[in-house]
Amino acid sequence: MSERTAKRIVISGGVADPALRNRVRSRADRLGLLGWVRLMEDGSLCVHAEGPPAAIDELLVFLRSSSAVQAATERTVGPEGHEQFAVRGVPAGVFVVQEHQATAHHFDVRLEVDGVMRSWAVPKGPSLDPAVKRFAVEVEDHSLEHNDFEGRAGRGGVIIWDRGQYEQGGRVPWPAALERGHAVFVLHGEKLRGGFALQRTRGGEKPQWLMVKRRDEHARPGSDIAAERPQSVRSGRTLADLLEEG
Ligand code: MN
């Protein structure tokens, strides 16, 4: 196995152009480097590059010679074990959480992956408490059109409990991460924000997973967001309102 080291590089100046992020990724790919590039909230660009030291040095030379870059500072960090070089901070698609009264009450968590909504039925709904592991059963993919559905369904009904964009995270590219049974993602919803993980605990016909909030600034230990904010983000109605209205 070749020597793998890692550096964190912070670039300031002229990084607003998204083309620079893509150029960093294609150069890293050609150099055989793994990691990520992310546009930070303070307007700087942060690069995590891991691989052979000579290749990291070449990436630094490339960055410092770019006309868009004013300054690039570097520090050595520990390798994180990435299997891709990803552009972070960019939505991969949409997500929706639909609260669904069917035979049993549950929340359907759906993430857009390759043109379909990969779906999990979560009986107790998502949580922002990192200590809480929510049981989730993988169910059939849904179409993107279904994301907008809110209304009566048979004797039950559906409300749009949360929705927004999401980012694919983790060390492994998607959809391979889902196939391997460990997927990390960042939600930008109205109620659900920050990092989450889905961990498969059992395969087979109806794969079982656990959905867990990651520890970050959006985590709210001790909270129960499903109970605290039951309203539809589209209509303001609760599922109980919808079922009573008939
Ligand atoms: Mn359902």
Side-chain angles (χ1 to χ4, degrees):
M1 208 173 141
S2 64
E3 187 186 2
R4 187 189 269 209
T5 58
K7 275 191 176 162
R8 204 59 69 83
I9 305 159
V10 176
I11 301 164
S12 60
V15 298
D17 182 3
L20 181 60
R21 269 170 277 168
N22 291 325
R23 274 169 39 222
V24 169
R25 177 168 61 176
S26 55
R27 180 59 61 118
D29 281 343
R30 263 179 288 153
L31 290 167
L33 291 170
L34 303 164
W36 45 262
V37 54
R38 175 190 286 277
L39 182 62
M40 308 302 281
E41 282 179 9
D42 67 2
S44 65
L45 202 63
C46 190
V47 179
H48 176 92
E50 57 188 59
I56 297 176
D57 288 344
E58 273 194 64
L59 183 69
L60 270 164
V61 169
F62 162 75
L63 291 171
R64 289 187 165 131
S65 66
S66 168
S67 58
V69 173
Q70 281 174 12
T73 60
E74 51 164 304
R75 67 190 169 93
T76 300
V77 295
E80 296 177 340
H82 292 277
E83 299 183 21
Q84 62 174 334
F85 193 94
V87 177
R88 297 265 192 254
V90 176
V94 297
F95 85 95
V96 66
V97 179
Q98 286 161 314
E99 187 180 359
H100 184 189
Q101 180 63 56
T103 312
H105 172 257
H106 60 277
F107 294 73
D108 290 296
V109 174
R110 309 186 199 279
L111 302 171
E112 180 184 357
V113 181
D114 294 342
V116 298
M117 300 302 293
R118 297 285 297 265
S119 300
W120 290 261
V122 184
K124 291 186 178 173
S127 175
L128 292 174
D129 183 348
V132 169
K133 294 178 166 67
R134 285 286 155 88
F135 180 71
V137 179
E138 191 173 349
V139 295
E140 71 273 18
D141 299 343
H142 275 56
S143 69
L144 272 74
E145 289 74 51
H146 189 263
N147 292 349
D148 296 321
F149 179 71
E150 176 168 305
R152 294 301 299 257
R155 275 189 270 178
V158 172
I159 61 162
I160 299 173
W161 184 79
D162 199 15
R163 62 182 169 188
Q165 304 271 321
Y166 86 101
E167 295 167 41
Q168 297 172 348
R171 297 184 293 267
V172 179
W174 291 47
L178 286 173
E179 285 153 19
R180 288 200 214 168
H182 183 73
V184 174
F185 50 98
V186 179
L187 299 179
H188 300 282
E190 294 184 32
K191 299 174 188 174
L192 301 179
R193 302 191 70 82
F196 288 80
L198 273 163
Q199 174 73 47
R200 191 168 56 219
T201 55
R202 191 194 290 184
E205 279 283 286
K206 287 191 169 180
Q208 297 180 3
W209 300 66
L210 292 172
M211 182 175 178
V212 186
K213 178 76 192 74
R214 304 192 89 205
R215 295 180 193 279
D216 58 22
E217 70 273 26
H218 299 290
R220 283 181 40 211
S223 69
D224 183 0
I225 186 84
E228 292 159 19
R229 296 186 62 186
Q231 295 85 4
S232 160
V233 293
R234 183 163 93 180
S235 64
R237 293 182 297 181
T238 65
L239 186 55
D241 294 337
L242 181 121
L243 296 173
E244 275 168 28
E245 284 159 18

PDB file of all heavy atoms in Angstrom, residues 100 102 106-108 110 121, ligand 1:
ATOM      1  N   HIS A 100     -47.542   9.831   7.292  1.00  0.00           N
ATOM      2  CA  HIS A 100     -48.498   8.979   6.584  1.00  0.00           C
ATOM      3  C   HIS A 100     -49.291   8.141   7.584  1.00  0.00           C
ATOM      4  O   HIS A 100     -48.721   7.334   8.319  1.00  0.00           O
ATOM      5  CB  HIS A 100     -47.701   8.072   5.619  1.00  0.00           C
ATOM      6  CG  HIS A 100     -48.564   7.201   4.754  1.00  0.00           C
ATOM      7  ND1 HIS A 100     -48.021   6.198   3.969  1.00  0.00           N
ATOM      8  CD2 HIS A 100     -49.900   7.181   4.539  1.00  0.00           C
ATOM      9  CE1 HIS A 100     -49.004   5.598   3.311  1.00  0.00           C
ATOM     10  NE2 HIS A 100     -50.153   6.175   3.640  1.00  0.00           N
ATOM     11  N   ALA A 102     -51.482   5.224   7.543  1.00  0.00           N
ATOM     12  CA  ALA A 102     -51.992   4.079   6.771  1.00  0.00           C
ATOM     13  C   ALA A 102     -52.522   3.106   7.820  1.00  0.00           C
ATOM     14  O   ALA A 102     -53.062   3.539   8.835  1.00  0.00           O
ATOM     15  CB  ALA A 102     -50.883   3.476   5.929  1.00  0.00           C
ATOM     16  N   HIS A 106     -46.735   6.324  10.324  1.00  0.00           N
ATOM     17  CA  HIS A 106     -45.283   6.379  10.146  1.00  0.00           C
ATOM     18  C   HIS A 106     -44.914   7.632   9.360  1.00  0.00           C
ATOM     19  O   HIS A 106     -45.778   8.354   8.873  1.00  0.00           O
ATOM     20  CB  HIS A 106     -44.777   5.128   9.408  1.00  0.00           C
ATOM     21  CG  HIS A 106     -45.379   4.970   8.039  1.00  0.00           C
ATOM     22  ND1 HIS A 106     -46.611   4.387   7.830  1.00  0.00           N
ATOM     23  CD2 HIS A 106     -44.935   5.350   6.815  1.00  0.00           C
ATOM     24  CE1 HIS A 106     -46.890   4.397   6.540  1.00  0.00           C
ATOM     25  NE2 HIS A 106     -45.900   4.988   5.899  1.00  0.00           N
ATOM     26  N   PHE A 107     -43.625   7.857   9.254  1.00  0.00           N
ATOM     27  CA  PHE A 107     -43.094   8.944   8.427  1.00  0.00           C
ATOM     28  C   PHE A 107     -42.292   8.307   7.297  1.00  0.00           C
ATOM     29  O   PHE A 107     -41.472   7.423   7.541  1.00  0.00           O
ATOM     30  CB  PHE A 107     -42.166   9.852   9.243  1.00  0.00           C
ATOM     31  CG  PHE A 107     -42.860  10.630  10.336  1.00  0.00           C
ATOM     32  CD1 PHE A 107     -43.295   9.998  11.500  1.00  0.00           C
ATOM     33  CD2 PHE A 107     -43.067  11.996  10.214  1.00  0.00           C
ATOM     34  CE1 PHE A 107     -43.925  10.710  12.507  1.00  0.00           C
ATOM     35  CE2 PHE A 107     -43.686  12.721  11.215  1.00  0.00           C
ATOM     36  CZ  PHE A 107     -44.127  12.084  12.365  1.00  0.00           C
ATOM     37  N   ASP A 108     -42.516   8.770   6.054  1.00  0.00           N
ATOM     38  CA  ASP A 108     -41.737   8.288   4.923  1.00  0.00           C
ATOM     39  C   ASP A 108     -40.628   9.289   4.629  1.00  0.00           C
ATOM     40  O   ASP A 108     -40.889  10.433   4.244  1.00  0.00           O
ATOM     41  CB  ASP A 108     -42.634   8.113   3.688  1.00  0.00           C
ATOM     42  CG  ASP A 108     -43.590   6.935   3.850  1.00  0.00           C
ATOM     43  OD1 ASP A 108     -43.096   5.800   3.945  1.00  0.00           O
ATOM     44  OD2 ASP A 108     -44.818   7.157   3.894  1.00  0.00           O
ATOM     45  N   ARG A 110     -37.672  10.297   2.265  1.00  0.00           N
ATOM     46  CA  ARG A 110     -37.305  10.008   0.872  1.00  0.00           C
ATOM     47  C   ARG A 110     -36.174  10.927   0.422  1.00  0.00           C
ATOM     48  O   ARG A 110     -36.229  12.144   0.615  1.00  0.00           O
ATOM     49  CB  ARG A 110     -38.513  10.207  -0.046  1.00  0.00           C
ATOM     50  CG  ARG A 110     -39.779   9.478   0.413  1.00  0.00           C
ATOM     51  CD  ARG A 110     -40.885   9.608  -0.628  1.00  0.00           C
ATOM     52  NE  ARG A 110     -42.203   9.340  -0.082  1.00  0.00           N
ATOM     53  CZ  ARG A 110     -42.718   8.110   0.111  1.00  0.00           C
ATOM     54  NH1 ARG A 110     -41.997   7.047  -0.211  1.00  0.00           N
ATOM     55  NH2 ARG A 110     -43.923   7.960   0.614  1.00  0.00           N
ATOM     56  N   ALA A 121     -39.535   3.890   5.640  1.00  0.00           N
ATOM     57  CA  ALA A 121     -40.659   4.143   6.546  1.00  0.00           C
ATOM     58  C   ALA A 121     -40.109   4.152   7.976  1.00  0.00           C
ATOM     59  O   ALA A 121     -39.507   3.173   8.428  1.00  0.00           O
ATOM     60  CB  ALA A 121     -41.719   3.057   6.387  1.00  0.00           C
TER      61      ALA A 121
HETATM   62 MN    MN B   1     -45.925   5.357   3.762  1.00  0.00          MN
END
